[in-house]
Amino acid sequence: MTTATLAPAPSPVTPRPARIGLATTVSQSVTMAYRGLLKVRHTPEQLIDVTFQPIIFTLMFTYLFGGAVSGSVAAYLPLIIPGILAQTVITASVVTGVQLREDMDKGVFDRFRSLPIARIAPLAGALLADTVRYVVATTITFLTGIVMGWRPGGGFGGVVLAGLLVIVCAWALSWIFAYIGVIARSATFVQGVSFMVLFPLTFLSNAFVEVDTLPGWMQAFVNVNPVSHLVSAVRTLANEGLVTADVGWTLLSAAVVVVIFAPIAVRAYLRKA
């Protein structure tokens, strides 16, 4: 009598479609973005940086430096609100890379890899979901300024255009941090490197003081700083309703960032996805 040895049945593996169309990829990216919003719903503390930070920074900078810089709080608000907005939304884009690295460390993207979805969908969904954070930060910053007495001379249209410009720039910067998040070893490293770069860029700009009050050597850097162009564009849009050359330079800078970092971020991500 012979004994038959049964080989263990192979574990079922969900086959990945050979090719996923553009419409399906977009749909799956939107679904992944919805997943990101659900995470915020269950852990609302993720929005602390875009809800409380603009309020605290606006109050702190305005009442500390308003009299010294512009003579009064009311005169300082048209200068500081665009600066606080740029700083808040730009720093909020760091979260894209941090959360991406955390998901990869927790094995979430290993699970996505086994699903019959476009490999780019989780990355695209993360960047899409983070635009909601930028909208929240922009809205709260403007509302805080209005409650404190700021009256934007550009009207509703100028404020909306200024907000859209900042959101577009933050989305462009998020590609940089997405790339860092993919190649970094930890979320702590992503956050540390990102803030080490962003804080000098935001503070060494015209966000909080007039450029002509700075030392000459510092003015040279501030004048070419992309953050200064963004802040100037937001000021003229919100306070005067004018579209200046700073708007063009800001959009050009954002486009250059996307053209450079989007492909390498996607390539780095696909190598690991």
Side-chain angles (χ1 to χ4, degrees), residues 244-263:
T244 62
D246 288 310
V247 176
W249 284 114
T250 300
L251 291 175
L252 177 61
S253 300
V256 170
V257 168
V258 174
V259 168
I260 294 175
F261 282 94

Side-chain angles (χ1 to χ4, degrees), residues 67-231:
V69 175
S70 300
S72 67
V73 169
Y76 191 49
L77 285 173
L79 177 76
I80 190 62
I81 294 300
I84 293 293
L85 175 61
Q87 181 197 44
T88 301
V89 179
I90 287 175
T91 54
S93 63
V94 176
V95 177
T96 298
V98 174
Q99 293 184 345
L100 182 61
R101 184 68 260 172
E102 288 178 346
D103 280 346
M104 297 180 75
D105 290 340
K106 293 176 181 177
V108 175
F109 280 80
D110 291 334
R111 172 57 179 161
F112 291 155
R113 191 186 312 174
S114 68
L115 298 176
I117 62 174
R119 291 192 297 169
I120 193 61
L123 177 61
L127 269 72
L128 182 61
D130 282 337
T131 58
V132 176
R133 298 169 51 82
Y134 310 147
V135 172
V136 171
T138 300
T139 303
I140 290 180
T141 303
F142 280 143
L143 288 178
T144 302
I146 291 173
V147 169
M148 294 179 65
W150 176 56
R151 296 298 179 263
F156 180 77
V159 169
V160 170
L161 289 177
L164 289 175
L165 181 64
V166 174
I167 292 170
V168 168
C169 291
W171 180 83
L173 284 177
S174 67
W175 282 104
I176 299 178
F177 303 121
Y179 173 67
I180 297 175
V182 171
I183 65 174
R185 293 186 177 183
S186 67
T188 303
F189 176 83
V190 177
Q191 191 168 20
V193 169
S194 301
F195 281 106
M196 187 171 61
V197 173
L198 286 182
F199 265 72
L201 284 177
T202 52
F203 281 97
L204 295 180
S205 70
N206 62 350
F208 307 107
V209 296
E210 296 286 357
V211 178
D212 55 12
T213 64
L214 302 174
W217 62 269
M218 188 178 292
Q219 290 185 28
F221 175 80
V222 170
N223 286 329
V224 298
N225 186 349
V227 176
S228 295
H229 290 293
L230 171 61
V231 173

